[in-house]
Amino acid sequence: MHGNDGACGKAIVPSTLGTCVRTLDTCQGFLSLREDFRKARAFFASVDGHERGVAMFCEHCGSKFEDGGKFCTSCGAPRPVAQPPADMTTPIPVPNTAQPSFDTAAPPAAEPHITADIPPVYVPQDFVVQDPPQSAEVARKKPVWLFVTLAVLALALCAFVGWRMWSDSHAESQAVAEFSKETVEVDEKTDGGDSSDKALSATEKDKDTKKEEPQPCTAVPELITKQVRRDGSNLVATVQWNASSCENAPLKSDGVQIVLTDSSNDTIAAGIFDFSKRDVSYKDGKLTTELAFKPTQYWRAVTELEPSRLDTSVKFDQEGFGRAADVNGAFGARDIDPSDAERYAHLALNWQLDHDKSTASDFYSIYTTQLSSKRYDMDVEGKIWKYADIYEHFLSLKSKHPQALIVWGSDYPTYTKHGHDASYYVILSGESFASETDATNWCGANGYTANDCLAVDLK
């Protein structure tokens, strides 16, 4: 009798019938125990594989299934879904590990008989029941779930700390607001609730904290023209302002009309000035300014003005026309109403004709040069000439030639002797020449052409 397991794997030497029977019973017990261990191993493997829904070891031969394999590579049995064996509910018998003795030298005294009791079974020393191996997938799952749980707990802790900080801050803000409200209510009750005694607004407080700026003086001053001079074709007047009530107040006014008149009450100069853009202030009620008038804003030659005989007046909040242009530090003026300027120019032309008549009589016997000849509404040189244009032209020429004068053409034979209409304002240079040739040469020397300058006498 031969076998592959334990004692049954050795050749049995016949001895006595009792010895053989005991040996046979021992082999049968070992085989039964091995079957029980195989079932236990399959059960534990099924418990481990139950989490993944498959068996890990073959229930027929006990071999481990390969990952993903559907059949046992040892016996070919199909791989079932892991279920706990039904017969494992009964306890597994614990074998007797005592090793039997096989004595062939001396037979027993009496013939043994076969009994139903299971004799002790031989168990190999290297046969050890081990815990079923844990799957790699389950081993990986445990750390992942551990990290996820820790992360969730950390987030929850941060959220709780943030909520507590916000809650504390909000509670503190509400407490401050309640305290401020109560303070205001107490203050209102203390002063009797009178709205006129309430605290100043933020804007009013800012105004109080700032240095209060001095208010402009609105008193009407007395103006005195101290000096007049010519700056190119412009008239510059030095005017003193006297207003004791203004003390050291600034002059911050726009639309200030200043008018200069002569002893006959004829308007000599007029313009609208703006004093709001410069730092101009009274000092002990006195102020001095330089005022510039361009040729369209004054109607008398500067050389013919006497400051002591001029009267200077001022009006506030007046409307100006055109643009102002300062002249070498002097305040420039805007134009007055054009209709008033035209009227003042006509009066100035008439005054100038009367004033220059005596001087013009000198040119009956000697030559001078004619620079211009214009009449009202004359369309020449690109425009229709008005009184203001004619007088402005006269003042411009006089600024170049201080001896210039203006005459009425119809009053002198040289313009009427050929029967032509001589109703013109004629401007003469006022320069004296012994001959016509000398006068003509003067025209060329001063840059005039034959159309602009010619030699004349008035006889």
Side-chain angles (χ1 to χ4, degrees):
M1 179 175 179
H2 296 277
N4 296 324
D5 297 298
C8 294
K10 302 177 182 179
I12 302 175
V13 179
S15 174
T16 62
L17 180 61
T19 302
C20 186
V21 168
R22 287 194 301 271
T23 303
L24 178 62
D25 291 338
T26 300
C27 289
Q28 291 177 346
F30 177 75
L31 292 175
S32 175
L33 180 61
R34 184 170 182 261
E35 179 66 17
D36 290 337
F37 276 124
R38 183 188 63 76
K39 292 182 179 181
R41 183 180 182 184
F43 169 73
F44 287 120
S46 66
V47 170
D48 180 71
H50 182 63
E51 294 180 2
R52 297 177 293 169
V54 296
M56 299 297 294
F57 294 86
C58 179
E59 63 181 1
H60 294 283
C61 67
S63 298
K64 182 178 179 180
F65 285 107
E66 294 183 357
D67 291 342
K70 296 183 178 180
F71 300 94
C72 178
T73 58
S74 298
C75 65
R79 185 177 189 171
V81 176
Q83 296 290 340
D87 58 351
M88 292 302 295
T89 56
T90 59
I92 301 174
V94 179
N96 185 0
T97 59
Q99 185 175 1
S101 176
F102 298 97
D103 188 6
T104 58
E111 190 71 21
H113 61 277
I114 299 174
T115 178
D117 296 334
I118 299 176
V121 179
Y122 170 76
V123 180
Q125 294 298 319
D126 58 348
F127 187 88
V128 180
V129 178
Q130 297 180 351
D131 293 333
Q134 190 177 31
S135 66
E137 182 178 353
V138 173
R140 287 194 304 269
K141 285 184 178 180
K142 289 181 179 180
V144 173
W145 283 107
L146 179 60
F147 293 149
V148 171
T149 303
L150 292 176
V152 171
L153 292 175
L155 291 175
L157 179 60
C158 292
F160 175 77
V161 172
W163 176 82
R164 285 302 303 270
M165 294 177 64
W166 175 87
S167 178
D168 294 341
S169 176
H170 184 66
E172 183 179 356
S173 299
Q174 287 184 336
V176 172
E178 291 294 333
F179 176 79
S180 300
K181 182 177 179 182
E182 293 175 0
T183 303
V184 172
E185 291 177 352
V186 170
D187 291 341
E188 291 179 351
K189 291 179 180 179
T190 302
D191 62 12
D194 187 1
S195 59
S196 62
D197 295 334
K198 290 182 179 179
L200 295 176
S201 65
T203 303
E204 292 173 336
K205 287 181 179 180
D206 290 341
K207 290 182 179 179
D208 287 345
T209 56
K210 293 180 181 179
K211 184 178 180 180
E212 186 177 351
E213 296 182 358
Q215 297 299 317
C217 182
T218 58
V220 178
E222 176 190 14
L223 269 58
I224 300 174
T225 300
K226 306 294 287 186
Q227 182 182 1
V228 292
R229 61 184 174 87
R230 190 179 68 235
D231 190 323
S233 60
N234 301 298
L235 166 66
V236 178
T238 303
V239 178
Q240 178 178 304
W241 304 51
N242 297 319
S244 57
S245 61
C246 291
E247 296 181 347
N248 299 316
L251 178 63
K252 293 289 185 181
S253 300
D254 187 11
V256 181
Q257 177 178 285
I258 297 178
V259 178
L260 278 65
T261 58
D262 64 5
S263 57
S264 299
N265 204 30
D266 291 335
T267 299
I268 303 304
I272 311 298
F273 294 87
D274 180 4
F275 298 104
S276 65
K277 298 178 181 178
R278 286 208 224 168
D279 185 12
V280 182
S281 301
Y282 286 92
K283 184 176 181 180
D284 296 330
K286 295 183 181 297
L287 172 65
T288 300
T289 59
E290 283 198 332
L291 309 177
F293 300 87
K294 56 189 177 182
T296 56
Q297 298 170 344
Y298 71 99
W299 303 276
R300 189 68 53 87
V302 177
T303 56
E304 297 165 0
L305 295 177
E306 294 183 19
S308 60
R309 302 182 63 178
L310 295 177
D311 185 21
T312 308
S313 61
V314 59
K315 289 184 179 180
F316 292 92
D317 301 324
Q318 302 298 304
E319 182 181 4
F321 298 84
R323 298 181 63 181
D326 293 349
V327 177
N328 294 330
F331 285 94
R334 299 178 67 189
D335 293 337
I336 62 173
D337 189 299
S339 62
D340 291 335
E342 181 71 5
R343 179 165 55 90
Y344 297 149
H346 190 199
L347 293 173
L349 284 169
N350 293 333
W351 183 91
Q352 198 71 43
L353 291 174
D354 292 338
H355 179 271
D356 294 341
K357 187 173 292 188
S358 60
T359 304
S361 62
D362 295 339
F363 298 105
Y364 277 89
S365 57
I366 58 175
Y367 286 93
T368 188
T369 51
Q370 176 182 311
L371 302 179
S372 175
S373 179
K374 301 293 188 294
R375 67 163 52 174
Y376 183 79
D377 271 346
M378 183 179 183
D379 188 356
V380 67
E381 299 176 2
K383 66 178 179 180
I384 299 176
W385 289 72
K386 302 297 183 181
Y387 296 124
D389 300 318
I390 297 171
Y391 199 81
E392 177 189 0
H393 187 43
F394 167 72
L395 292 175
S396 297
L397 290 174
K398 194 166 182 66
S399 65
K400 295 180 181 179
H401 312 292
Q403 303 298 324
L405 65 155
I406 189 167
V407 297
W408 184 247
S410 299
D411 293 339
Y412 300 93
T414 191
Y415 300 111
T416 61
K417 62 184 177 182
H418 298 293
H420 300 300
D421 183 7
S423 302
Y424 292 92
Y425 291 99
V426 180
I427 302 175
L428 305 175
S429 67
E431 299 290 338
S432 300
F433 304 99
S435 67
E436 183 176 355
T437 302
D438 291 341
T440 303
N441 291 337
W442 181 90
C443 290
N446 286 272
Y448 296 106
T449 64
N451 293 328
D452 299 322
C453 181
L454 69 155
V456 297
D457 63 14
L458 299 181
K459 65 179 180 179

